[in-house]
Amino acid sequence: MENSNAQKIIKNLQAEVIANGFNNDTLIPELKKLREFALLEEKPVLVKALRLAYEHIESNNDFLVQIPSDEPIEDELATETTNTNTESFNYFMSLMLDLNNKHNIADLKDYNTQFQEF
């Protein structure tokens, strides 16, 4: 996101989750604010990702989707992941800081798919 206020919110949310874990009362309103910035910047993938993220957190009281894999999964053993919900959330948030990177957009789309399949 290009807006400096949106970038500040992203960084504050990352610090908040690291320090205090997932608190719906804090996270959800801030994610909704970020979604408004994404709407203004006309970033449809991000708008959808933010909506799905706060709905997911609201429903599960946690961030339960995994960081998208760089490698294609060839067998069932490869589906075991070791990243935590905090790591996944922080990675998800960091993708928003550079939306000109095509890999970040691809990972956001992957998160959207995971949210919808959850």
Side-chain angles (χ1 to χ4, degrees):
M1 300 188 83
E2 296 172 16
N3 185 295
S4 62
N5 290 329
Q7 291 177 3
K8 219 178 281 183
I9 291 171
I10 291 167
K11 290 174 183 170
N12 288 341
L13 282 174
Q14 289 174 312
E16 171 70 23
V17 167
I18 288 170
N20 303 315
F22 291 90
N23 178 348
N24 289 9
D25 296 334
T26 305
L27 287 177
I28 292 171
E30 293 299 303
L31 290 171
K32 287 180 179 182
K33 281 185 201 173
L34 278 177
R35 186 171 180 268
E36 294 301 318
F37 285 112
L39 281 166
L40 292 173
E41 291 185 19
E42 298 180 359
K43 307 287 187 192
V45 171
L46 183 56
V47 171
K48 183 175 184 176
L50 287 163
R51 178 183 56 81
L52 292 171
Y54 68 69
E55 288 174 351
H56 175 81
I57 293 169
E58 212 167 36
S59 298
N60 300 292
N61 294 316
D62 207 342
F63 194 83
L64 302 174
V65 296
Q66 299 297 310
I67 294 173
S69 175
D70 288 337
E71 304 296 321
I73 297 173
E74 294 180 16
D75 61 356
E76 287 301 309
L77 296 175
T79 61
E80 272 312 301
T81 56
T82 58
N83 64 59
T84 65
N85 53 359
T86 302
E87 288 172 326
S88 184
F89 179 79
N90 281 327
Y91 180 70
F92 173 74
M93 297 304 292
S94 71
L95 295 173
M96 299 174 203
L97 294 171
D98 183 9
L99 294 173
N100 294 322
N101 182 329
K102 66 180 180 179
H103 300 292
N104 288 3
I105 296 296
D107 281 356
L108 282 170
K109 288 179 180 178
D110 194 342
Y111 270 110
N112 287 350
T113 300
Q114 287 188 64
F115 286 134
Q116 291 173 322
E117 291 174 352
F118 198 82

